[in-house]
Amino acid sequence: MKHPIQRLDSSRRNTLAHSISTSLTGSMLLLAGALASSSAFAQEQATNLDRITVTGSNIPRTNTETPSPVQVVTRQEIDRTGKTTVAEYLQTLTADGAGSIPKTFGNGFAGGGAGISLRGLGAGSTLVLLNGRRMATYGLADDGQKVFTDLSTIPLDAVERIEVLKDGASAIYGSDAIAGVVNIILRSDFNGAILRASYGLSGDSDGDAKKATLTAGTGDLATDGWNAFFSLDVGKTDAIKISDRKDRKWIGTGDIRRWGYDAGDAQFLGGAYLSGGTAGGTGPNGSVFDSTGHLVALPGCAGLTTIPGQNDATAQAQGCLWDPAQQFRDLTPEEKYVNVFGRASFAFGEGGEVYTEIGYSKKETVFSNTPSGVSGGWGYPGGPVNANSGPGATVLGPTHPDNPIPGQASRLRYSAWDVGPRVTNNTNEFNRFLVGVKGNWGEWSYDTAYLHSGTDLTNKRTGFLRYSAVRCALGDPNCAGGVWRIGDNAGQNSQALYDFISPTISARAKSSLDMFDFTVSRSLMDLKGGPLGLALGTEWRRTSNSLTPQTYTDVGDIIGLGYSAYDGTQNVYAGYVELSAPVLEQLELSGAVRYDKYESGEGKATPKLGVKWTPVDWVALRASYAEGFRAPNPAENGDGGLAAFSNARDPARCAASGNDPAECGARQVAIITRPNPGLKPEESKSYSVGIVLQPTSSTSLTVDAWEIKRTNEIAQGSTADAIAAGNVLRDSNNLNGVANTGTILAVNTAYVNANSSRVRGIDTDIRQTFDLGPGQLELDMQWSHVLKFERTEGDTTVDYVGTHGNCDVTNCIGTPQDRINFGTTWKQGNWSVSGVANYISSLDNKDARGGSYLAFYEDGTPVEKISSFTTFDLSGRWNVTEAFELNASVQNVFDKIAPLDPSTYGAVNYNPLHFSGAIGRYFTVGAKYTFN
């Protein structure tokens, strides 16, 4: 059922048109009045503008340095890193942060997608454009909530450059541009043909990556009056399993006891008894609770685990320890894809052009994870499910042949290794079609286009357990599906039984975007510093997002699998005006305002102001102020809901245990969140002030201080507050007779406009070129230093800078204070060699500054820090002939190992930010041939 949409009648349409017209007219008069006081209106013809358009503005400029900070990434900068996809490169940017979505997070809600999160404010607050226009969002929402643009649908070989606007841009682009804009600019024309091929292999001889690209075009717009080209990009990357890194210290194992941890604090080590044997015990042999509430192990541990020293005696004492991640989980998923981009343009009249673009992408991602357990807690729209205790507990029936306590329905803990891994297969198809016309009409330049874009994703899963079927096969001797034998006796089961308890399940996600826009611009007059530029525009767009829930999750019948579903449509009408005024040779002022009206009734006006002062030719000072917003998406205010998992501390259990470290660390809990149709848009205010220095033609330095304040933040209600208020489902294993201290299984929340964030930092970009002898040396460095990352919930404000928080966002990767990229390239004749060093600062292993530690060693001392991490990438190119080029790269040249991180849930014992340190050294060789 679609989200209800009220259609505008004619009177409402007139009201909307009048409100936009009034807003734009008032803003234009305000800016024009200010400018008129600086310079009298010129009587002569205004100077025409050069057609240089920079991301963040609709007005063509005569230079690329705007009042707003824009990082321009050239194709050379991308190539020198050895990265083979747009997503891989963008996630190395120093401005990327928490909420970024790597393709390796295959077991997340948005598995198979890849997104960027500028300033750590989430992928949903970073607007991604392709050639200056939007794309349909990925079918699966991040954390089941935040819709975002999937970067992996863009063919890298068609990319000309990438422009990253690092302040708010809602005045130009509307919703979602709170943290900034990433504009991926593809080739606009091409003549000839280029064939590229590459092959990648890790230092461990796995993770093979094969890629081939063909780009071909014909026609010349200037001489022939037309041009058409296409780019075809195909590739396949093999999976790497955790077991493939079993000798790479903690990367290849869930068992981190040898590095000083207790079995209960190693979140990826299975089977351990927790809380004195009253919890845990989910091993391959199985264990049940006796009449006193303590676990009793089933036989067969020694034959079912790969960890030495395990037997029936140790299993009874501490649980059957085993390493399911090493046996079943992927480090990186298998991926196959094809990306196509095509463009055609036709000239007419004096400077007119009709253009069309097509894009198609199909990608399949397969991720293997650990086997499912038979118990636990999860949620669905009807509420939480408790399969651990109470009437819903999963039990071995009194007559089950594997029940060690005959005559008793015994509560069971068991990891279904015999069923096999949980495998997620995502197949996503993306399409994009654009047709437009641009040109000149008198003194005006115009650009108008219609865009359609969409995604269609099928998510299939195997290895998951159906709750009702499991309870039947374990608890009912007359079950129609048969009796499920477990542990040592699992070999007696038939395939029909496994088909009964573990059916293939699936979900379907769709998104679509239809958009029409019209922009005109011109020079109004000559001011002392140059022409006064004006741009006017209007836009209509309709977006829709829908996700059907995974089979059986709408009734809570898949063990441990969170529920996610949404359905809704948004229609948006917008109008905007922008002025750029070089009032003096040394002073440029700019301003813009946009009004977006949503068909549901919400409307939002967002202004932006900028100033740039150039006291001397090689020094410029700039500043900007912008307001922004992000409208609620269908996953937040539509039909549906979410049941997910996160890590949380339990103060009640910690206190009842006398602050026992084993009970005070963060543990996994289910979070059940309801959508809220009463949500308001998130709003933001962003500020930047910076200096641009270019003392020589080969030296440049920019330093920009920035701050973003986001209010009405749409988020799940505070997990900590819900736990403190008792909005939780607990197990029955109370501590020391204290009521309501059982292990938390689920927390109940809703989406709310209850939070606010303030992020502040400094960006530095330094570039220097030297002519040395017969060659040229290019140096550059980007450094992002975060000063504050505060989040306010109710009356409580916490700062996450330099800590492992905020763990409520994707992957729990933390908020490093510093990220630095330093690159150097040496060019001489037909050769070039590049090196790039990437540095990520250390993290305090706390949930926030001054907060609680998230993990402890076996002796009770806290894990205080996650170490800093530095890698070095090397690449080289040789133009054998004018037509033939060979290239090669080595990522993580020195084979640095990612620091041990016991707190993140996005990867096994390493932080996803340090991904290259998990893979190890990686080699890529390639060739390019250009056909004349």
Side-chain angles (χ1 to χ4, degrees):
M1 177 180 180
K2 292 290 185 184
H3 187 59
I5 297 294
Q6 291 184 323
R7 299 294 175 189
L8 290 174
D9 58 28
S10 59
S11 63
R12 291 184 66 197
R13 293 177 191 269
N14 292 335
T15 302
L16 172 61
H18 176 72
S19 64
I20 293 177
S21 175
T22 302
S23 174
L24 296 181
T25 302
S27 303
M28 289 173 60
L29 290 174
L30 206 64
L31 285 166
L35 295 166
S37 65
S38 302
S39 174
F41 282 94
Q43 299 299 315
E44 64 274 12
Q45 182 75 21
T47 303
N48 288 330
L49 293 174
D50 291 337
R51 297 195 63 82
I52 301 174
T53 303
V54 181
T55 300
S57 175
N58 289 304
I59 300 175
R61 300 175 54 83
T62 57
N63 61 73
T64 58
E65 286 293 348
T66 72
S68 296
V70 178
Q71 179 181 349
V72 180
V73 179
T74 66
R75 182 55 191 260
Q76 175 188 314
E77 290 178 80
I78 299 173
D79 288 342
R80 72 181 183 182
T81 64
K83 306 299 183 186
T84 58
T85 68
V86 172
E88 284 183 78
Y89 176 79
L90 287 176
Q91 288 170 351
T92 68
L93 294 180
T94 60
D96 188 37
S100 181
I101 305 165
K103 71 173 186 178
T104 54
F105 193 31
N107 60 326
F109 274 102
I116 183 173
S117 170
L118 292 177
R119 309 304 189 196
L121 290 173
S125 292
T126 299
L127 180 62
V128 175
L129 306 175
L130 186 65
N131 289 341
R133 288 182 169 92
R134 292 173 179 254
M135 302 164 59
T137 56
Y138 189 54
L140 300 175
D142 178 31
D143 289 336
Q145 174 196 357
K146 313 171 195 76
V147 297
F148 67 98
T149 301
D150 180 19
L151 298 169
S152 60
T153 60
I154 301 167
L156 180 61
D157 200 57
V159 174
E160 181 178 289
R161 70 185 185 277
I162 300 173
E163 295 179 351
V164 183
L165 176 66
K166 297 181 180 179
D167 68 359
S170 288
I172 305 297
Y173 301 113
S175 178
D176 306 337
I178 284 178
V181 177
V182 175
N183 187 11
I184 301 166
I185 300 169
L186 306 184
R187 301 175 189 265
S188 58
D189 60 58
F190 181 75
N191 198 319
I194 296 177
L195 179 64
R196 294 177 186 257
S198 66
Y199 178 75
L201 187 70
S202 78
D204 289 278
S205 301
D206 55 18
D208 301 38
K210 309 174 189 69
K211 180 178 179 180
T213 302
L214 173 64
T215 303
T218 185
D220 184 278
L221 196 63
T223 59
D224 302 327
W226 64 279
N227 175 261
F229 77 95
F230 75 94
S231 182
L232 171 64
D233 186 13
V234 296
K236 181 180 184 295
T237 303
D238 292 341
I240 299 177
K241 293 197 167 293
I242 294 289
S243 58
D244 294 331
R245 294 296 179 272
K246 60 184 177 182
D247 297 321
R248 195 171 175 80
K249 295 187 176 180
W250 45 80
I251 303 299
T253 179
D255 186 2
I256 53 177
R257 290 176 297 162
R258 75 186 91 163
W259 293 282
Y261 292 83
D262 181 79
D265 283 327
Q267 61 172 317
F268 297 103
L269 176 65
Y273 288 168
L274 307 175
S275 304
T278 63
T282 306
N285 59 323
S287 54
V288 299
F289 287 93
D290 63 18
S291 59
T292 67
H294 289 78
L295 285 161
V296 176
L298 275 67
C301 178
L304 297 171
T305 179
T306 58
I307 295 180
Q310 301 297 298
N311 54 49
D312 288 347
T314 60
Q316 292 296 353
Q318 63 179 11
C320 182
L321 303 183
W322 75 310
D323 198 342
Q326 187 179 84
Q327 293 176 238
F328 295 97
R329 180 164 168 160
D330 286 341
L331 186 67
T332 63
E334 176 187 320
E335 186 177 72
K336 295 182 289 187
Y337 63 87
V338 55
N339 293 328
V340 181
F341 174 77
R343 192 178 197 275
S345 51
F346 306 88
F348 69 92
E350 295 294 328
E353 180 184 337
V354 176
Y355 58 91
T356 184
E357 296 176 359
I358 60 167
Y360 174 79
S361 171
K362 183 175 183 180
K363 183 178 69 170
E364 181 179 1
T365 305
V366 182
F367 185 85
S368 178
N369 204 358
T370 54
S372 176
V374 299
S375 56
W378 62 95
Y380 73 109
V385 178
N386 182 2
N388 271 354
S389 58
T394 301
V395 299
L396 284 180
T399 61
H400 192 287
D402 296 321
N403 191 344
I405 312 176
Q408 169 187 297
S410 303
R411 290 188 292 133
L412 177 66
R413 300 292 181 267
Y414 178 60
S415 184
W417 63 270
D418 52 315
V419 174
R422 290 170 292 172
V423 178
T424 300
N425 185 313
N426 283 325
T427 301
N428 184 48
E429 291 189 83
F430 167 84
N431 64 79
R432 181 177 183 269
F433 171 76
L434 174 75
V435 60
V437 58
K438 61 183 178 181
N440 301 310
W441 183 32
E443 301 304 318
W444 293 91
S445 296
Y446 63 88
D447 190 353
T448 182
Y450 166 74
L451 168 70
H452 171 77
S453 182
T455 63
D456 189 348
L457 183 145
T458 300
N459 175 285
K460 292 184 179 179
R461 305 193 185 212
T462 58
F464 288 77
L465 298 177
R466 189 175 181 187
Y467 177 48
S468 58
V470 166
R471 293 189 72 197
C472 175
L474 292 174
D476 183 357
N478 300 312
C479 180
V483 174
W484 181 13
R485 302 299 301 274
I486 64 173
D488 231 5
N489 296 311
Q492 301 178 34
N493 296 317
S494 66
Q495 185 59 47
L497 171 79
Y498 289 126
D499 294 341
F500 174 68
I501 62 175
S502 181
T504 298
I505 59 176
S506 64
R508 184 84 175 270
K510 290 187 176 184
S511 70
S512 68
L513 166 66
D514 289 277
M515 187 174 82
F516 172 81
D517 62 65
F518 181 75
T519 301
V520 294
S521 62
R522 65 165 294 173
S523 301
L524 293 177
M525 67 188 78
D526 282 338
L527 303 178
K528 290 184 178 180
L532 168 64
L534 167 70
L536 297 167
T538 185
E539 177 184 304
W540 165 81
R541 71 177 185 271
R542 179 178 61 213
T543 60
S544 67
N545 295 84
S546 65
L547 171 65
T548 62
Q550 285 283 340
T551 316
Y552 304 123
T553 60
D554 55 338
V555 291
D557 204 24
I558 298 296
I559 293 175
L561 183 58
Y563 168 87
S564 181
Y566 41 81
D567 193 353
T569 300
Q570 292 177 333
N571 278 272
V572 186
Y573 307 87
Y576 49 89
V577 60
E578 182 185 358
L579 285 170
S580 176
V583 295
L584 301 171
E585 289 186 7
Q586 298 84 15
L587 182 64
E588 175 187 347
L589 302 177
S590 64
V593 65
R594 176 182 174 116
Y595 185 80
D596 289 80
K597 182 71 174 180
Y598 284 77
E599 197 172 20
S600 59
E602 291 286 343
K604 183 63 180 175
T606 47
K608 182 171 184 176
L609 299 171
V611 58
K612 177 185 170 187
W613 178 46
T614 310
V616 294
D617 287 345
W618 59 279
V619 177
L621 302 174
R622 62 188 181 190
S624 67
Y625 166 78
E627 295 183 9
F629 76 103
R630 183 181 76 83
N633 63 59
E636 296 165 330
N637 69 352
D639 299 320
L642 170 69
F645 291 89
S646 184
N647 287 352
R649 295 180 67 255
D650 185 355
R653 196 165 177 84
C654 181
S657 69
N659 297 316
D660 180 354
E663 300 294 347
C664 294
R667 295 263 178 90
Q668 189 177 79
V669 297
I671 311 290
I672 302 171
T673 310
R674 301 178 302 277
N676 181 357
L679 290 173
K680 301 295 184 183
E682 294 182 346
E683 299 180 355
S684 69
K685 295 180 179 180
S686 62
Y687 313 81
S688 72
V689 58
I691 184 170
V692 181
L693 304 176
Q694 192 165 8
T696 72
S697 61
S698 60
T699 305
S700 69
L701 166 68
T702 64
V703 180
D704 292 282
W706 54 270
E707 179 176 279
I708 301 174
K709 295 181 178 179
R710 184 170 64 178
T711 56
N712 282 344
E713 199 169 90
I714 301 172
Q716 297 171 339
S718 167
T719 301
D721 288 349
I723 292 173
N727 294 324
V728 298
L729 172 68
R730 291 185 179 273
D731 204 348
S732 60
N733 59 330
N734 291 332
L735 279 173
N736 300 323
V738 180
N740 296 318
T741 59
T743 303
I744 293 177
L745 301 175
V747 181
N748 292 301
T749 64
Y751 292 120
V752 290
N753 287 111
N755 305 328
S756 63
S757 296
R758 182 175 67 161
V759 191
R760 180 191 300 161
I762 299 173
D763 286 344
T764 302
D765 192 318
I766 305 173
R767 297 173 188 268
Q768 175 69 58
T769 301
F770 299 97
D771 289 323
L772 296 177
Q776 187 178 72
L777 179 65
E778 299 174 355
L779 305 173
D780 66 273
M781 184 188 76
Q782 296 80 46
W783 174 19
S784 291
H785 177 71
V786 183
L787 296 168
K788 289 281 185 184
F789 198 124
E790 294 180 335
R791 186 180 185 189
T792 300
E793 301 182 13
D795 297 327
T796 303
T797 298
V798 296
D799 189 355
Y800 296 118
V801 168
T803 74
H804 218 309
N806 173 8
C807 280
D808 286 341
V809 299
T810 294
N811 288 332
C812 188
I813 65 175
T815 309
Q817 188 159 35
D818 294 286
R819 293 189 67 171
I820 301 173
N821 293 342
F822 175 73
T824 178
T825 298
W826 170 260
K827 297 178 179 178
Q828 180 178 342
N830 296 333
W831 292 84
S832 69
V833 179
S834 299
V836 180
N838 304 280
Y839 168 81
I840 301 172
S841 59
S842 63
L843 299 172
D844 289 338
N845 195 35
K846 294 183 176 182
D847 53 8
R849 282 192 171 184
S852 303
Y853 287 108
L854 295 177
F856 298 85
Y857 293 109
E858 187 173 14
D859 62 6
T861 59
V863 180
E864 296 184 359
K865 281 190 177 292
I866 309 301
S867 300
S868 63
F869 187 58
T870 304
T871 57
F872 183 72
D873 303 329
L874 185 67
S875 65
R877 296 179 180 276
W878 175 32
N879 293 310
V880 183
T881 67
E882 288 187 2
F884 185 51
E885 175 194 282
L886 294 175
N887 55 76
S889 67
V890 185
Q891 298 183 62
N892 193 0
V893 171
F894 301 110
D895 201 23
K896 302 282 279 188
I897 297 177
L900 198 161
D901 185 343
S903 300
T904 182
Y905 55 84
V908 177
N909 299 329
Y910 71 91
N911 197 299
L913 286 174
H914 307 149
F915 169 67
S916 63
I919 296 298
R921 194 179 289 116
Y922 195 90
F923 303 89
T924 303
V925 294
K928 180 178 81 169
Y929 190 85
T930 303
F931 298 87
N932 294 323

